[in-house]
Amino acid sequence: MSRLVAEKLALVTGAGSGIGREVCRVLAREGANVIAADQNIKTVQETVATLEGAEHIALNINVGDRNSVETAFKDVVKQFSKPPTIIVNSAGVARANFLTKLSDSDFDDVINVNLKGTFLIMQIAVKAMIEANTTKDSSIINISSIIGTRGNIGQSNYSASKAGVIAMTKSASLEFGQFGIRVNTVLPGFIETPMTAIVPDKVKEMFMKRIPLQRFGKPQEIAEVIVFLASNRSSYINGTSIEITGGLN
């Protein structure tokens, strides 16, 4: 059976853990060369060590910093003689607190990584694709969150950043469609990752009651949908958001 993204070059941010790491694994399994990017180089090197196939690299990147992103893309184009045509924006942070107690720095950090980081990666990636004439059949997948549509207590900054990702994805899909670049977003629900490991048991129980499948999701269950969106199997899906929540209500 042919592999979904054979010979494609994919860049995944936030690839050092959780959903990002799993996306790298599934992309590699389906034939892509993977650039695993994260601000923690040690954890992405660990990710790369677990991938099938040979042509994968670990890359240090700070998504909220334009210079860091531009340098990373220059290095990738130099090494592979082409830009990546699959982009997965998985880098994300959470700084939970009640709105009245939320500090400016916790607000800014979350917006800077989750929203501005997604913007910078998209902008610089698409410029590189246009320059290299590799836009046809390219795919960008942004990771939002179901919290971006529902809100959540203690997560006004996170929910705002993830709502922003949904809106920005729609706008980007309108601008990039003419080049043959599709842009979609996935909205995970409660997934077992390092980010959710710190959630108090009481809150977990509250969420569990609202999930018809009566379990939390696994990173691979998000990754499989992302790789489908990266492949030509989803060639007419553009500008949309896919909820992956177990039916969370």
Side-chain angles (χ1 to χ4, degrees):
M1 194 175 134
S2 67
R3 299 203 283 179
L4 282 180
V5 286
E7 322 267 293
K8 294 261 195 173
L9 184 59
L11 175 111
V12 181
T13 69
S17 67
I19 292 169
R21 175 173 281 183
E22 204 57 36
V23 170
C24 292
R25 205 182 64 73
V26 179
L27 281 166
R29 185 195 76 200
E30 293 298 335
N33 293 323
V34 176
I35 302 146
D38 201 288
Q39 62 180 354
N40 184 336
I41 191 68
K42 190 173 160 292
T43 57
V44 273
Q45 283 166 342
E46 287 164 9
T47 295
V48 167
T50 66
L51 302 180
E52 287 176 39
E55 278 251 49
H56 310 302
I57 63 165
L59 193 64
N60 178 246
I61 199 167
N62 172 1
V63 295
D65 180 294
R66 177 176 292 279
N67 285 342
S68 173
V69 177
E70 283 178 345
T71 304
F73 271 85
K74 279 196 191 98
D75 291 348
V76 166
V77 172
K78 200 151 129 199
Q79 181 157 347
F80 290 92
S81 311
K82 61 181 182 181
T85 56
I86 293 169
I87 305 289
V88 182
N89 278 303
S90 183
V93 295
R95 302 272 186 274
N97 213 330
F98 296 121
L99 196 141
T100 52
K101 295 184 173 163
L102 198 58
S103 70
D104 285 9
S105 67
D106 280 351
F107 186 87
D108 292 345
D109 282 352
V110 168
I111 297 295
N112 203 40
V113 173
N114 299 3
L115 188 57
K116 189 184 178 189
T118 298
F119 155 70
L120 286 173
I121 295 277
M122 279 205 290
Q123 184 187 69
I124 292 159
V126 170
K127 280 182 174 174
M129 287 180 211
I130 290 170
E131 204 174 301
N133 199 24
T134 57
T135 57
K136 191 179 175 306
D137 297 332
S138 293
S139 180
I140 299 171
I141 301 99
N142 296 323
I143 299 187
S144 176
S145 167
I146 195 63
I147 286 165
T149 64
R150 312 269 176 94
N152 193 31
I153 290 170
Q155 292 198 298
S156 53
N157 52 351
Y158 186 80
S159 62
S161 72
K162 293 300 191 178
V165 168
I166 296 168
M168 191 159 61
T169 296
K170 286 194 187 315
S171 297
S173 72
L174 299 174
E175 292 184 24
F176 301 154
Q178 61 182 315
F179 302 111
I181 302 170
R182 297 182 297 110
V183 194
N184 293 291
T185 181
V186 295
L187 279 55
F190 203 105
I191 311 301
E192 290 169 354
T193 67
M195 199 189 268
T196 59
I198 55 170
V199 173
D201 287 343
K202 202 168 61 178
V203 177
K204 284 182 181 170
E205 281 162 28
M206 190 184 76
F207 268 106
M208 188 70 86
K209 289 194 183 102
R210 295 166 53 196
I211 301 169
L213 291 184
Q214 300 186 341
R215 65 176 178 82
F216 297 139
K218 295 180 172 58
Q220 184 175 350
E221 294 176 300
I222 308 299
E224 296 288 357
V225 178
I226 288 170
V227 175
F228 165 70
L229 289 171
S231 78
N232 287 340
R233 296 263 177 99
S234 61
S235 53
Y236 205 56
I237 299 179
N238 187 34
T240 198
S241 304
I242 296 180
E243 294 188 9
I244 316 171
T245 67
L248 179 73
N249 60 57

PDB file of all heavy atoms in Angstrom, residues 17 24 27 29 35 39 41 53 62 70 81 87 90 107 110 117 171 173 180 186 195-196 202 214 229-230 234-235:
ATOM      1  N   SER A  17       7.683  16.801  22.329  1.00  0.00           N
ATOM      2  CA  SER A  17       6.828  16.007  23.226  1.00  0.00           C
ATOM      3  C   SER A  17       5.389  15.990  22.732  1.00  0.00           C
ATOM      4  O   SER A  17       5.044  16.665  21.753  1.00  0.00           O
ATOM      5  CB  SER A  17       6.864  16.598  24.650  1.00  0.00           C
ATOM      6  OG  SER A  17       6.237  17.864  24.649  1.00  0.00           O
ATOM      7  N   CYS A  24       5.345  13.632  14.260  1.00  0.00           N
ATOM      8  CA  CYS A  24       6.604  13.270  13.590  1.00  0.00           C
ATOM      9  C   CYS A  24       6.654  11.773  13.316  1.00  0.00           C
ATOM     10  O   CYS A  24       7.041  11.337  12.225  1.00  0.00           O
ATOM     11  CB  CYS A  24       7.803  13.655  14.452  1.00  0.00           C
ATOM     12  SG  CYS A  24       8.042  15.430  14.631  1.00  0.00           S
ATOM     13  N   LEU A  27       4.115  10.869  10.501  1.00  0.00           N
ATOM     14  CA  LEU A  27       4.610  11.388   9.217  1.00  0.00           C
ATOM     15  C   LEU A  27       5.758  10.522   8.683  1.00  0.00           C
ATOM     16  O   LEU A  27       5.795  10.179   7.499  1.00  0.00           O
ATOM     17  CB  LEU A  27       5.094  12.835   9.373  1.00  0.00           C
ATOM     18  CG  LEU A  27       4.033  13.927   9.408  1.00  0.00           C
ATOM     19  CD1 LEU A  27       4.628  15.238   9.915  1.00  0.00           C
ATOM     20  CD2 LEU A  27       3.372  14.140   8.048  1.00  0.00           C
ATOM     21  N   ARG A  29       6.399   7.391   9.453  1.00  0.00           N
ATOM     22  CA  ARG A  29       5.821   6.089   9.089  1.00  0.00           C
ATOM     23  C   ARG A  29       5.186   6.134   7.706  1.00  0.00           C
ATOM     24  O   ARG A  29       5.221   5.161   6.952  1.00  0.00           O
ATOM     25  CB  ARG A  29       4.756   5.716  10.141  1.00  0.00           C
ATOM     26  CG  ARG A  29       4.148   4.334   9.985  1.00  0.00           C
ATOM     27  CD  ARG A  29       2.871   4.206  10.824  1.00  0.00           C
ATOM     28  NE  ARG A  29       1.737   4.900  10.211  1.00  0.00           N
ATOM     29  CZ  ARG A  29       0.632   5.277  10.859  1.00  0.00           C
ATOM     30  NH1 ARG A  29       0.529   5.050  12.161  1.00  0.00           N
ATOM     31  NH2 ARG A  29      -0.343   5.884  10.220  1.00  0.00           N
ATOM     32  N   ILE A  35      11.416  17.310   9.683  1.00  0.00           N
ATOM     33  CA  ILE A  35      12.209  18.286  10.420  1.00  0.00           C
ATOM     34  C   ILE A  35      11.479  18.498  11.744  1.00  0.00           C
ATOM     35  O   ILE A  35      10.402  19.094  11.782  1.00  0.00           O
ATOM     36  CB  ILE A  35      12.306  19.619   9.657  1.00  0.00           C
ATOM     37  CG1 ILE A  35      12.931  19.400   8.280  1.00  0.00           C
ATOM     38  CG2 ILE A  35      13.083  20.646  10.459  1.00  0.00           C
ATOM     39  CD1 ILE A  35      12.364  20.312   7.226  1.00  0.00           C
ATOM     40  N   GLN A  39      12.034  24.381  20.825  1.00  0.00           N
ATOM     41  CA  GLN A  39      13.042  25.223  21.475  1.00  0.00           C
ATOM     42  C   GLN A  39      13.944  24.403  22.392  1.00  0.00           C
ATOM     43  O   GLN A  39      15.002  24.862  22.805  1.00  0.00           O
ATOM     44  CB  GLN A  39      12.406  26.397  22.210  1.00  0.00           C
ATOM     45  CG  GLN A  39      11.481  26.052  23.331  1.00  0.00           C
ATOM     46  CD  GLN A  39      10.912  27.315  23.992  1.00  0.00           C
ATOM     47  OE1 GLN A  39      11.308  28.416  23.669  1.00  0.00           O
ATOM     48  NE2 GLN A  39       9.978  27.111  24.903  1.00  0.00           N
ATOM     49  N   ILE A  41      16.284  21.507  22.160  1.00  0.00           N
ATOM     50  CA  ILE A  41      16.942  20.667  21.142  1.00  0.00           C
ATOM     51  C   ILE A  41      17.105  19.224  21.617  1.00  0.00           C
ATOM     52  O   ILE A  41      17.025  18.276  20.843  1.00  0.00           O
ATOM     53  CB  ILE A  41      18.297  21.282  20.689  1.00  0.00           C
ATOM     54  CG1 ILE A  41      18.849  20.575  19.441  1.00  0.00           C
ATOM     55  CG2 ILE A  41      19.319  21.287  21.795  1.00  0.00           C
ATOM     56  CD1 ILE A  41      18.079  20.784  18.171  1.00  0.00           C
ATOM     57  N   GLY A  53      13.070   5.465   8.989  1.00  0.00           N
ATOM     58  CA  GLY A  53      13.645   6.142   7.827  1.00  0.00           C
ATOM     59  C   GLY A  53      14.861   6.960   8.222  1.00  0.00           C
ATOM     60  O   GLY A  53      15.166   7.130   9.399  1.00  0.00           O
ATOM     61  N   ASN A  62      12.727  28.919  18.047  1.00  0.00           N
ATOM     62  CA  ASN A  62      11.843  29.637  18.964  1.00  0.00           C
ATOM     63  C   ASN A  62      10.774  30.289  18.092  1.00  0.00           C
ATOM     64  O   ASN A  62      11.044  31.287  17.411  1.00  0.00           O
ATOM     65  CB  ASN A  62      12.649  30.680  19.747  1.00  0.00           C
ATOM     66  CG  ASN A  62      11.766  31.591  20.587  1.00  0.00           C
ATOM     67  OD1 ASN A  62      10.543  31.450  20.604  1.00  0.00           O
ATOM     68  ND2 ASN A  62      12.377  32.537  21.270  1.00  0.00           N
ATOM     69  N   GLU A  70      13.316  32.535  10.703  1.00  0.00           N
ATOM     70  CA  GLU A  70      13.935  32.775   9.386  1.00  0.00           C
ATOM     71  C   GLU A  70      15.235  31.994   9.225  1.00  0.00           C
ATOM     72  O   GLU A  70      15.483  31.391   8.183  1.00  0.00           O
ATOM     73  CB  GLU A  70      14.166  34.276   9.176  1.00  0.00           C
ATOM     74  CG  GLU A  70      12.874  35.010   8.817  1.00  0.00           C
ATOM     75  CD  GLU A  70      13.041  36.520   8.647  1.00  0.00           C
ATOM     76  OE1 GLU A  70      14.091  37.064   9.072  1.00  0.00           O
ATOM     77  OE2 GLU A  70      12.105  37.145   8.105  1.00  0.00           O
ATOM     78  N   SER A  81      17.736  21.422  -0.092  1.00  0.00           N
ATOM     79  CA  SER A  81      17.577  22.074  -1.413  1.00  0.00           C
ATOM     80  C   SER A  81      16.128  22.394  -1.755  1.00  0.00           C
ATOM     81  O   SER A  81      15.791  22.581  -2.921  1.00  0.00           O
ATOM     82  CB  SER A  81      18.172  21.210  -2.534  1.00  0.00           C
ATOM     83  OG  SER A  81      19.457  20.802  -2.183  1.00  0.00           O
ATOM     84  N   ILE A  87       3.503  21.647   6.813  1.00  0.00           N
ATOM     85  CA  ILE A  87       3.842  22.422   8.002  1.00  0.00           C
ATOM     86  C   ILE A  87       2.814  22.095   9.083  1.00  0.00           C
ATOM     87  O   ILE A  87       1.614  22.223   8.854  1.00  0.00           O
ATOM     88  CB  ILE A  87       3.771  23.949   7.709  1.00  0.00           C
ATOM     89  CG1 ILE A  87       4.652  24.344   6.521  1.00  0.00           C
ATOM     90  CG2 ILE A  87       4.104  24.751   8.974  1.00  0.00           C
ATOM     91  CD1 ILE A  87       6.142  24.281   6.760  1.00  0.00           C
ATOM     92  N   SER A  90       2.544  22.853  15.984  1.00  0.00           N
ATOM     93  CA  SER A  90       2.152  22.169  17.215  1.00  0.00           C
ATOM     94  C   SER A  90       2.762  22.801  18.467  1.00  0.00           C
ATOM     95  O   SER A  90       2.428  22.412  19.580  1.00  0.00           O
ATOM     96  CB  SER A  90       2.563  20.694  17.128  1.00  0.00           C
ATOM     97  OG  SER A  90       2.150  19.989  18.266  1.00  0.00           O
ATOM     98  N   PHE A 107       0.117  36.265  30.015  1.00  0.00           N
ATOM     99  CA  PHE A 107      -0.747  36.546  28.856  1.00  0.00           C
ATOM    100  C   PHE A 107       0.109  36.627  27.595  1.00  0.00           C
ATOM    101  O   PHE A 107      -0.165  35.967  26.590  1.00  0.00           O
ATOM    102  CB  PHE A 107      -1.513  37.858  29.069  1.00  0.00           C
ATOM    103  CG  PHE A 107      -2.518  38.136  27.979  1.00  0.00           C
ATOM    104  CD1 PHE A 107      -3.804  37.624  28.050  1.00  0.00           C
ATOM    105  CD2 PHE A 107      -2.162  38.896  26.868  1.00  0.00           C
ATOM    106  CE1 PHE A 107      -4.722  37.856  27.029  1.00  0.00           C
ATOM    107  CE2 PHE A 107      -3.076  39.134  25.840  1.00  0.00           C
ATOM    108  CZ  PHE A 107      -4.358  38.616  25.932  1.00  0.00           C
ATOM    109  N   VAL A 110       1.754  33.230  26.197  1.00  0.00           N
ATOM    110  CA  VAL A 110       0.815  32.324  25.537  1.00  0.00           C
ATOM    111  C   VAL A 110       0.443  32.842  24.139  1.00  0.00           C
ATOM    112  O   VAL A 110       0.425  32.091  23.165  1.00  0.00           O
ATOM    113  CB  VAL A 110      -0.435  32.099  26.420  1.00  0.00           C
ATOM    114  CG1 VAL A 110      -1.545  31.400  25.649  1.00  0.00           C
ATOM    115  CG2 VAL A 110      -0.048  31.262  27.640  1.00  0.00           C
ATOM    116  N   GLY A 117       3.511  32.717  17.042  1.00  0.00           N
ATOM    117  CA  GLY A 117       4.381  31.652  16.535  1.00  0.00           C
ATOM    118  C   GLY A 117       3.772  30.981  15.310  1.00  0.00           C
ATOM    119  O   GLY A 117       4.454  30.717  14.307  1.00  0.00           O
ATOM    120  N   SER A 171      -8.547  32.810   7.449  1.00  0.00           N
ATOM    121  CA  SER A 171      -8.029  33.905   6.629  1.00  0.00           C
ATOM    122  C   SER A 171      -6.892  33.420   5.722  1.00  0.00           C
ATOM    123  O   SER A 171      -6.842  33.749   4.538  1.00  0.00           O
ATOM    124  CB  SER A 171      -7.523  35.045   7.508  1.00  0.00           C
ATOM    125  OG  SER A 171      -8.587  35.588   8.260  1.00  0.00           O
ATOM    126  N   SER A 173      -6.358  30.432   4.625  1.00  0.00           N
ATOM    127  CA  SER A 173      -6.862  29.541   3.565  1.00  0.00           C
ATOM    128  C   SER A 173      -7.420  30.346   2.393  1.00  0.00           C
ATOM    129  O   SER A 173      -7.310  29.931   1.235  1.00  0.00           O
ATOM    130  CB  SER A 173      -7.925  28.590   4.119  1.00  0.00           C
ATOM    131  OG  SER A 173      -9.136  29.286   4.383  1.00  0.00           O
ATOM    132  N   GLY A 180      -2.456  26.855  -4.273  1.00  0.00           N
ATOM    133  CA  GLY A 180      -2.549  25.400  -4.091  1.00  0.00           C
ATOM    134  C   GLY A 180      -2.132  24.948  -2.706  1.00  0.00           C
ATOM    135  O   GLY A 180      -1.883  23.767  -2.466  1.00  0.00           O
ATOM    136  N   VAL A 186      -6.879  21.598  13.570  1.00  0.00           N
ATOM    137  CA  VAL A 186      -7.536  20.559  14.366  1.00  0.00           C
ATOM    138  C   VAL A 186      -7.749  21.107  15.769  1.00  0.00           C
ATOM    139  O   VAL A 186      -6.960  21.909  16.270  1.00  0.00           O
ATOM    140  CB  VAL A 186      -6.731  19.238  14.417  1.00  0.00           C
ATOM    141  CG1 VAL A 186      -6.640  18.612  13.039  1.00  0.00           C
ATOM    142  CG2 VAL A 186      -5.351  19.431  15.009  1.00  0.00           C
ATOM    143  N   MET A 195       1.301  18.381  28.812  1.00  0.00           N
ATOM    144  CA  MET A 195       0.575  19.608  29.144  1.00  0.00           C
ATOM    145  C   MET A 195      -0.648  19.317  30.020  1.00  0.00           C
ATOM    146  O   MET A 195      -0.984  20.095  30.899  1.00  0.00           O
ATOM    147  CB  MET A 195       0.153  20.338  27.864  1.00  0.00           C
ATOM    148  CG  MET A 195      -0.194  21.805  28.094  1.00  0.00           C
ATOM    149  SD  MET A 195      -0.929  22.602  26.658  1.00  0.00           S
ATOM    150  CE  MET A 195       0.495  23.276  25.833  1.00  0.00           C
ATOM    151  N   THR A 196      -1.306  18.182  29.790  1.00  0.00           N
ATOM    152  CA  THR A 196      -2.500  17.873  30.583  1.00  0.00           C
ATOM    153  C   THR A 196      -2.168  17.039  31.832  1.00  0.00           C
ATOM    154  O   THR A 196      -3.010  16.885  32.709  1.00  0.00           O
ATOM    155  CB  THR A 196      -3.560  17.110  29.753  1.00  0.00           C
ATOM    156  OG1 THR A 196      -2.983  15.892  29.255  1.00  0.00           O
ATOM    157  CG2 THR A 196      -4.069  17.950  28.586  1.00  0.00           C
ATOM    158  N   LYS A 202      -9.458  16.340  40.073  1.00  0.00           N
ATOM    159  CA  LYS A 202     -10.841  16.806  40.189  1.00  0.00           C
ATOM    160  C   LYS A 202     -11.329  17.370  38.845  1.00  0.00           C
ATOM    161  O   LYS A 202     -12.456  17.121  38.414  1.00  0.00           O
ATOM    162  CB  LYS A 202     -10.897  17.889  41.280  1.00  0.00           C
ATOM    163  CG  LYS A 202     -12.267  18.117  41.893  1.00  0.00           C
ATOM    164  CD  LYS A 202     -12.161  18.983  43.160  1.00  0.00           C
ATOM    165  CE  LYS A 202     -11.574  20.355  42.813  1.00  0.00           C
ATOM    166  NZ  LYS A 202     -11.491  21.265  43.970  1.00  0.00           N
ATOM    167  N   GLN A 214     -15.954   8.210  27.140  1.00  0.00           N
ATOM    168  CA  GLN A 214     -15.525   7.908  28.514  1.00  0.00           C
ATOM    169  C   GLN A 214     -14.035   7.612  28.661  1.00  0.00           C
ATOM    170  O   GLN A 214     -13.618   6.777  29.445  1.00  0.00           O
ATOM    171  CB  GLN A 214     -16.358   6.744  29.075  1.00  0.00           C
ATOM    172  CG  GLN A 214     -17.833   7.107  29.101  1.00  0.00           C
ATOM    173  CD  GLN A 214     -18.683   6.047  29.794  1.00  0.00           C
ATOM    174  OE1 GLN A 214     -18.266   4.917  29.956  1.00  0.00           O
ATOM    175  NE2 GLN A 214     -19.874   6.444  30.194  1.00  0.00           N
ATOM    176  N   LEU A 229      -4.733  15.174   6.869  1.00  0.00           N
ATOM    177  CA  LEU A 229      -4.858  16.544   6.354  1.00  0.00           C
ATOM    178  C   LEU A 229      -3.606  16.974   5.581  1.00  0.00           C
ATOM    179  O   LEU A 229      -3.672  17.845   4.711  1.00  0.00           O
ATOM    180  CB  LEU A 229      -5.125  17.532   7.494  1.00  0.00           C
ATOM    181  CG  LEU A 229      -6.509  17.445   8.142  1.00  0.00           C
ATOM    182  CD1 LEU A 229      -6.573  18.308   9.388  1.00  0.00           C
ATOM    183  CD2 LEU A 229      -7.616  17.839   7.161  1.00  0.00           C
ATOM    184  N   ALA A 230      -2.464  16.366   5.907  1.00  0.00           N
ATOM    185  CA  ALA A 230      -1.219  16.687   5.202  1.00  0.00           C
ATOM    186  C   ALA A 230      -1.149  16.005   3.840  1.00  0.00           C
ATOM    187  O   ALA A 230      -0.398  16.422   2.972  1.00  0.00           O
ATOM    188  CB  ALA A 230      -0.029  16.250   6.053  1.00  0.00           C
ATOM    189  N   SER A 234      -6.909  14.320   1.471  1.00  0.00           N
ATOM    190  CA  SER A 234      -7.803  15.389   1.944  1.00  0.00           C
ATOM    191  C   SER A 234      -7.733  16.596   0.999  1.00  0.00           C
ATOM    192  O   SER A 234      -7.876  17.737   1.427  1.00  0.00           O
ATOM    193  CB  SER A 234      -7.411  15.811   3.365  1.00  0.00           C
ATOM    194  OG  SER A 234      -6.083  16.307   3.380  1.00  0.00           O
ATOM    195  N   SER A 235      -7.537  16.332  -0.273  1.00  0.00           N
ATOM    196  CA  SER A 235      -7.197  17.391  -1.244  1.00  0.00           C
ATOM    197  C   SER A 235      -8.238  18.494  -1.406  1.00  0.00           C
ATOM    198  O   SER A 235      -7.938  19.552  -1.939  1.00  0.00           O
ATOM    199  CB  SER A 235      -6.899  16.766  -2.612  1.00  0.00           C
ATOM    200  OG  SER A 235      -7.967  15.923  -3.002  1.00  0.00           O
TER     201      SER A 235
END
